[in-house]
Amino acid sequence: MPFTLLPAIDLLAGRLGVFTPAGPEPLDAFGGDPLRAAGAYLEAGAGWLHVVDMDLAFTGTATNLGSLRTIADLPAVRVQASGGIRTWQEVGAFLAAGAVRVVVSSAALVDEHAVTEIIANARPGEVLFGIEVDDGRIRPRGTETVDLDLLSTLGWLRAIGAPGFLVTAVGRVGMRVGPDTELLRRVVRSGVPVLAAGGVRSLEDLVAVRAAGAHGAVVGRAALEGSLDLARAIAWAAV
């Protein structure tokens, strides 16, 4: 099965941003222009872009739907949207803005009714559920204080039909220290398809993520700042 590589574009007030231990901050790569970043990723061969509304995640207000729509209108691109999305109404807003797939925030997992509604309304392939893990527990970044047991949460999500997970090693996001392959193996054992995020810095890291059982990976800062040869990685992933 081909491995899907998704370069990330984090949007902060319509410009490029990055998650740091201190919170979201502006990013100077590509002059801060998300369209320039998207164009470079598409030129490297990307078929998917992972677009994050950092404002929704950290302030509760979706301010980047227009920017997402502009990116989604680029030729031959599919957008996976993310960033603090917790309800079916918010999922619908991002789909209407041009996203092909939406990652529901880990913050939504405290409300089983909301999760069930999303699964019931989404068409095949339209949603994944974010599993943000810090110190072995689900602890999403953003405005909500959530602390959930990882394995029991994965169990009930699988039981109600969650179609897939985006697993983020929170402490590794933006740090380029390598992926948490042990975490990935734990989640892969749930039997639900998994994408990985956090810490990827090289093709060797992507090889390790694939060997851990993930179906793909989101690559952030390493792609933005050029430490990962994106064209080479995309060519590898397609094999």
Side-chain angles (χ1 to χ4, degrees), residues 5-11 16-17 27 30 34 37-38 41 46 48-52 71 80 82 173 197 217-225 230:
L5 187 59
L6 302 91
I9 297 177
D10 289 3
L11 297 172
L16 289 176
L27 191 67
F30 296 99
Y41 293 159
W48 282 91
L49 298 176
H50 179 76
V51 180
V52 182
I71 293 169
Q80 174 175 282
S82 184
V173 173
V218 172
V219 181
R221 200 163 187 172
L224 279 169
E225 297 184 348
L230 190 58

Side-chain angles (χ1 to χ4, degrees), residues 72-204:
D73 284 342
L74 294 171
V77 64
R78 288 171 287 180
V79 168
Q80 174 175 282
S82 184
I85 300 165
R86 292 171 294 174
T87 67
W88 173 246
Q89 289 73 24
E90 289 175 340
V91 170
F94 280 86
L95 292 172
V100 174
R101 185 164 64 210
V102 173
V103 180
V104 179
S105 171
S106 296
L109 303 181
V110 296
D111 187 343
E112 189 169 343
H113 174 76
V115 172
T116 302
E117 182 182 24
I118 290 168
I119 292 173
N121 283 285
R123 292 178 294 186
E126 281 189 334
V127 296
L128 298 176
F129 286 87
I131 306 293
E132 293 183 87
V133 179
D134 185 18
D135 196 24
R137 295 184 64 83
I138 298 175
R139 293 174 178 153
R141 301 158 289 172
T143 59
E144 301 290 334
T145 300
V146 173
D147 188 340
L148 299 171
D149 179 75
L150 175 61
L151 293 182
S152 62
T153 303
L154 294 176
W156 72 257
L157 283 170
R158 177 181 180 181
I160 66 171
F165 300 136
L166 171 61
V167 180
T168 301
V170 171
R172 300 181 185 225
V173 173
M175 303 303 291
R176 290 174 294 179
V177 293
D180 188 339
T181 53
E182 177 55 34
L183 169 62
L184 289 175
R185 290 188 183 95
R186 291 179 72 192
V187 181
V188 164
R189 285 197 288 269
S190 71
V192 177
V194 168
L195 300 180
V200 173
R201 63 203 160 169
S202 66
L203 181 56
E204 290 72 22

